[in-house]
Amino acid sequence: MTVEPKRIAVTGAAGQICYSLLFRIANGDVYGKDTPVILQLLDLPQAQKAVRGVVMELEDCAFPLLRDVVITDDPADAFRDIDAGFFVGSRPRTAGMERRDLLNANAEIFRTQGRALDAAAKRDAKVIVVGNPANTNAMILAANAPGFPTENITAMLRLDHNRALTQFAQRGGVGVDEIRKLVVWGNHSPTMFADWRNATAAGKPLPDVIGDETWYRDTLIPTVGKRGAAIIEARGASSAASAANAAIDHMRDWIKGSDGDWVSMGISSDGSYGIPEGLMCGVPVICANGSYERVQGLEINAFQQQMLDRTVAELVEERDAVSALL
Ligand SMILES: NC(=O)C1=CN([C@@H]2O[C@H](COP(=O)(O)OP(=O)(O)OC[C@H]3O[C@@H](n4cnc5c(N)ncnc54)[C@H](O)[C@@H]3O)[C@@H](O)[C@H]2O)C=CC1
Ligand SMILES: O=C([O-])CC(=O)C(=O)O
């Protein structure tokens, strides 16, 4: 049977995340090894030459699944008839900045691209926003694409989820693949809440396996929250390969399913857990059959509530700061 190619838009194609991401998509890491792909690459006019260079390298990989590549500086061309969109293009922060400091620089990008998405994309396209501040940019994108289903627009918390997995696995002396039901709630910022309350390692409660609540509260949570800054400090540039990997994990699980496990996704709040409706907030979801379901009905203790309130308050502040674009 012939499988139709999937059209995938990627913005910021000349940037450092895409230098890793595009090769993984072309290799079949999102849709699988039986599905051809067409890449629709967007970047600014001044970056077109660099995008052409990346495309030369894609060609030189001779990926069997890569059917075509479109290069453009017009969002409507990039988003035409897409099945998936990776919204990476935007300015990264540098040392000393918080991601929210990028709001002014990047918010307008997502307003323009929201309108183009609305005009050009398939209604069932799956969208991930990576460009920072990712949650609020995703909210701006959704608000400016009123005819596009908001549930198909998501923000990336998966890098934080993956970071937490490794920190827990190392401390607990278990494999990352043995840990289940972990979640990172809230904003992709230092206020994010890596929550181990329901997590298990090889079937046992993770808090019992690690047995050190002080380490969890005083070391794990801030380490995961500040990992992006630690990487900028060490590398002189923000995370790129790990961000691309997380974007692949997020989209692959959304499309192929998460095998019953929880994954962390920034999705538009329906008011569950007291998170104000419409905020793009990291929550636990289970992916199956090409969609995601938020994990409902969890009991939230006082510590969890305090951590959740802190990160939600920051999302509210960010929303209020860009109210003119919503
Ligand atoms: N959500 C997450 O977990 C993470 C998010 N990020 C964010 O991803 C974004 C991209 O990071 P890098 O690739 O390292 O940055 P980069 O500076 O290497 O590349 C950004 C690219 O976006 C392009 N661009 C800028 N405005 C654009 C527009 N209006 N339309 C299309 N393209 C545009 C630039 O020309 C450049 O090629 C940054 O905002 C960064 O903070 C980075 C790591 C993790
Ligand atoms: O920290 C940054 O600016 C880049 C990023 O979002 C991350 O690495 O989590």
Side-chain angles (χ1 to χ4, degrees), residues 157-169:
L157 268 294
R158 188 59 176 265
L159 181 53
D160 313 303
H161 183 103
N162 288 348
R163 286 169 171 164
L165 271 178
T166 298
Q167 297 295 320
F168 281 126

Side-chain angles (χ1 to χ4, degrees), residues 153-203:
I153 296 180
T154 61
M156 186 160 99
L157 268 294
R158 188 59 176 265
L159 181 53
D160 313 303
H161 183 103
N162 288 348
R163 286 169 171 164
L165 271 178
T166 298
Q167 297 295 320
F168 281 126
Q170 287 177 348
R171 180 76 183 192
V174 298
V176 282
D177 54 345
E178 291 179 291
I179 299 179
R180 292 175 75 86
K181 293 194 173 174
L182 175 70
V183 56
V184 180
W185 299 87
N187 199 7
H188 175 62
S189 84
T191 66
M192 71 180 78
F193 171 38
D195 181 6
W196 73 349
R197 171 126 187 253
N198 296 284
T200 57

Side-chain angles (χ1 to χ4, degrees), residues 11-18 42-44 46-47 88-93 99 102 106 109 113 129-134 156-157 159-160 163 188 238-240 243:
T11 75
Q16 52 151 5
I17 293 177
C18 289
L42 180 71
D43 210 307
L44 297 172
Q46 60 271 31
V88 180
S90 52
R91 212 185 115 187
R93 65 173 165 154
R99 297 181 189 99
L102 293 170
N106 290 337
I109 295 175
Q113 293 184 356
V129 174
V130 175
N132 276 320
M156 186 160 99
L157 268 294
L159 181 53
D160 313 303
R163 286 169 171 164
H188 175 62
S238 62
S239 345

Side-chain angles (χ1 to χ4, degrees), residues 38-157:
I38 296 172
L39 290 173
Q40 304 192 167
L41 306 182
L42 180 71
D43 210 307
L44 297 172
Q46 60 271 31
Q48 295 292 295
K49 184 174 173 208
V51 178
R52 284 197 293 278
V54 176
V55 172
M56 287 162 70
E57 287 205 65
L58 281 165
E59 289 167 356
D60 294 349
C61 294
F63 288 116
L65 294 171
L66 184 58
R67 287 301 151 82
D68 197 7
V69 183
V70 174
I71 304 174
T72 181
D73 59 9
D74 179 348
D77 285 343
F79 305 149
R80 187 148 300 124
D81 297 331
I82 55 168
D83 298 287
F86 291 76
F87 284 65
V88 180
S90 52
R91 212 185 115 187
R93 65 173 165 154
T94 43
M97 292 172 83
E98 282 304 341
R99 297 181 189 99
R100 58 188 295 173
D101 298 334
L102 293 170
L103 252 190
N104 286 342
N106 290 337
E108 187 57 44
I109 295 175
F110 291 86
R111 168 153 72 171
T112 309
Q113 293 184 356
R115 291 173 178 159
L117 181 76
D118 205 9
K122 285 186 189 165
R123 297 302 91 169
D124 61 355
K126 293 178 163 57
V127 167
I128 177 173
V129 174
V130 175
N132 276 320
N135 300 57
T136 299
N137 287 339
M139 194 180 187
I140 296 170
L141 194 75
N144 287 281
F148 186 85
T150 297
E151 64 269 22
N152 288 1
I153 296 180
T154 61
M156 186 160 99
L157 268 294

